[in-house]
Amino acid sequence: MTRIENTGFWIFLAFVIKLMVILFLTYNLELWNGDGLIGVCNGDCPDYLHTAEMVAQTGTFGKMYDGKVLPYAGRMPGYDVILAPLSMSFEEITVKNIVYVLQILLSALSTYYLAKTIYWVFPSERLFYFVFFVYGINSFVTLYDLFILTESFFVSAFIISFYLFISAKTNWHYFLAGLFLTWAILMRPYILPLWVIFNIYLVYIFFVKKTAALRMVIRVVLSFNLVFILTETIWITRNYLQFNKFIPIVTDVYAGLKEGKLLALMEFVQAWGGDIIWWNPDSEIALFYKIPQIAHLPTQYKSLNDLPDYVFTSVYNADSLANLKKLYEKSNDTQLSSEEREILDKTITKSLRKYRKAFISEKPFYFYVVAPLRLLPKFLFHSGSYNISNKPFIQQNWFQKVVKLFYSSLYYFTLLGGFFFIFYAIFNYYKLPLSYLLLLIIPLYIIALCPLVLRRIEYRYFILAYPYFTILACYMLNLIVSYFYKTKIQHS
């Protein structure tokens, strides 16, 4: 096996492995349709392209409303850093394809650095190989290399940042770590608390443990935070000038979704622990609002009467929710005038706000405890390969079925192996270096944040937890292999 220090070899091998997975996903998703695109543009893709185009054309990070470009702060411009410069020079289809290629390349690079991360923390060549190949062949993260979404660049930037952070030997390394972390935050601001934790870790290892002079600590902390401080200063100043408000990150967690029936419906469903991902046919929100793309798919809930009894209150029941659903459907009727639709929107919004308030008032235990815990298993336990094919499992050929089962198994190896490590760490914390605490915090933070705090369980939000659960699962695999290897030697 080639030495781990041979960076060029491992990055090239990671690219080859990624390319093989990409080719399979392209075949499985039937992307070779002659439109000239390497990957996929749906969901939020047009939104990202639109804001990038506005930056390229007008110099304003905003959106076009009624012929005017209005400033926007529903998202941070992390993806526009890549899209906007490309939009100045190329047509849209070329921009997309360049981004797909860049995402695949950076994803290959991050695969190597993820394996290097565990090798730095626990210098075992076998563990390096485990992480490199197990993560390299995954589809859960690799799939997003084919989408115009922030996920691919985000997770790659974070992995590279984290490796540079824990292995840093110079201020330049800390500067690069901070640069990549800032870029990751600009794409996914919800990881800002991890930036705080990394700074606490820095101060602890250098100052509390007294491994360096105060002057050196200041230099390290400044190097790590310089890009973030400058970026945040510019962003906050821009937002204050544009909106006359202090907006350090974004305006809200819904990417700037305006007040209205959809926002009210999402928050009402969240209140009692329902899934608000409307393109998931098994989500509770699909009982109220079902998009045409999933109309033909089987669903978990057939009617509003199938909801748990605790969902209902003295203010509303299944019948009143059914009536509200009819109003919701009517409000989307394009044959109605805009004034009529607006009146219906306000009526629906008012009712949903009233129902949500009633639920919180009458059933606070369910709102604060049961509802988020109800979302937790939904967030974690699913096939893990739900999006690698456009066909139902029964319609796939034997090769596709085998690969799907393999990727579902790989997902559960990663997930359950990561949880086994957590239990192992509880009883063996004294054997583990402090850096392992950071490895644990990253996935646990995501698991706590998405279902328990934000109450949003779109499966792609698990994407940052996945690589670090891979590390933890491979650590447990290495322990098992080492145990059997020692046992074999003892009996030989």
Side-chain angles (χ1 to χ4, degrees), residues 209-492:
K209 295 188 75 173
K210 298 181 180 179
T211 58
L214 179 60
R215 182 178 298 177
M216 179 180 176
V217 176
I218 294 173
R219 287 177 181 174
V220 166
V221 173
L222 183 60
S223 298
F224 179 63
N225 291 289
L226 182 60
V227 176
F228 177 79
I229 292 171
L230 290 175
T231 303
E232 267 294 280
T233 301
I234 295 169
W235 179 247
I236 291 171
T237 303
R238 174 261 187 189
N239 290 338
Y240 188 81
L241 292 175
Q242 297 289 355
F243 305 103
N244 199 29
K245 292 181 182 178
F246 175 71
I247 305 174
I249 306 176
V250 291
T251 52
D252 58 86
V253 298
Y254 298 103
L257 181 63
K258 293 183 178 180
E259 172 66 8
K261 62 183 181 182
L262 180 56
L263 179 59
L265 177 60
M266 292 168 70
E267 293 181 347
F268 170 65
V269 173
Q270 282 178 320
W272 40 265
D275 184 356
I276 64 169
I277 307 304
W278 58 78
W279 54 91
N280 178 1
D282 287 331
S283 66
E284 286 82 355
I285 201 171
L287 279 169
F288 301 88
Y289 169 67
K290 198 167 188 179
I291 58 177
Q293 293 90 324
I294 65 170
H296 65 289
L297 297 175
T299 59
Q300 179 182 354
Y301 300 99
K302 305 302 179 184
S303 74
L304 289 161
N305 288 302
D306 294 335
L307 290 174
D309 290 339
Y310 80 83
V311 170
F312 307 109
T313 69
S314 63
V315 176
Y316 64 88
N317 55 26
D319 291 336
S320 50
L321 291 181
N323 291 331
L324 191 66
K325 177 182 178 180
K326 292 177 182 178
L327 279 181
Y328 201 103
E329 293 171 348
K330 185 178 179 181
S331 69
N332 292 324
D333 187 350
T334 55
Q335 294 185 355
L336 296 176
S337 67
S338 58
E339 291 78 11
E340 289 174 314
R341 292 201 302 271
E342 185 177 350
I343 291 172
L344 284 173
D345 190 299
K346 290 180 178 179
T347 301
I348 296 164
T349 301
K350 184 178 179 180
S351 296
L352 287 168
R353 294 295 184 206
K354 177 183 176 182
Y355 293 169
R356 182 178 186 272
K357 185 177 180 181
F359 181 82
I360 297 172
S361 176
E362 293 185 21
K363 301 183 177 182
F365 177 75
Y366 284 93
F367 174 75
Y368 291 106
V369 180
V370 175
L373 290 178
R374 190 171 183 266
L375 292 170
L376 183 60
K378 290 184 179 183
F379 182 58
L380 298 174
F381 299 107
H382 48 80
S383 70
S385 59
Y386 61 95
N387 53 4
I388 67 171
S389 176
N390 294 326
K391 296 179 180 177
F393 183 76
I394 195 171
Q395 295 179 14
Q396 297 177 27
N397 61 42
W398 68 268
F399 173 68
Q400 292 172 314
K401 288 179 180 178
V402 168
V403 176
K404 180 176 175 60
L405 291 172
F406 167 77
Y407 275 126
S408 290
S409 300
L410 183 63
Y411 173 79
Y412 276 97
F413 161 76
T414 302
L415 181 69
L416 299 179
F419 278 117
F420 280 135
F421 177 87
I422 293 170
F423 289 115
Y424 169 81
I426 291 173
F427 296 102
N428 295 274
Y429 65 92
Y430 55 90
K431 297 180 182 178
L432 300 173
L434 182 62
S435 49
Y436 259 101
L437 181 60
L438 289 181
L439 292 175
L440 274 172
I441 284 175
I442 295 168
L444 289 179
Y445 169 73
I446 297 299
I447 291 172
L449 176 73
C450 295
L452 303 183
V453 178
L454 298 180
R455 304 192 186 199
R456 296 175 65 113
I457 56 171
E458 189 175 345
Y459 299 147
R460 65 189 173 113
Y461 296 158
F462 190 70
I463 195 171
L464 183 60
Y466 189 91
Y468 294 98
F469 257 32
T470 299
I471 284 181
L472 303 182
C474 287
Y475 184 92
M476 297 306 298
L477 177 62
N478 188 53
L479 282 182
I480 295 171
V481 171
S482 298
Y483 172 79
F484 281 108
Y485 181 72
K486 290 179 181 178
T487 303
K488 182 179 179 181
I489 292 178
Q490 292 173 356
H491 288 85
S492 61

Side-chain angles (χ1 to χ4, degrees), residues 12-85:
F12 175 76
L13 182 58
F15 175 73
V16 171
I17 293 172
K18 286 285 181 183
L19 196 57
M20 291 174 63
V21 177
I22 290 290
L23 289 174
F24 166 75
L25 292 171
T26 303
Y27 153 75
N28 218 37
L29 291 167
E30 300 176 349
L31 298 182
W32 290 317
N33 54 15
D35 62 359
L37 275 181
I38 298 173
V40 181
C41 180
N42 58 22
D44 292 335
C45 170
D47 203 35
Y48 288 117
L49 292 171
H50 177 68
T51 54
E53 186 180 355
M54 292 302 100
V55 174
Q57 293 181 357
T58 69
T60 300
F61 180 60
K63 290 186 176 184
M64 184 75 74
Y65 294 103
D66 298 325
K68 296 181 180 179
V69 180
L70 299 181
Y72 175 63
R75 291 190 174 100
M76 298 184 83
Y79 212 34
D80 299 80
V81 170
I82 302 297
L83 287 174

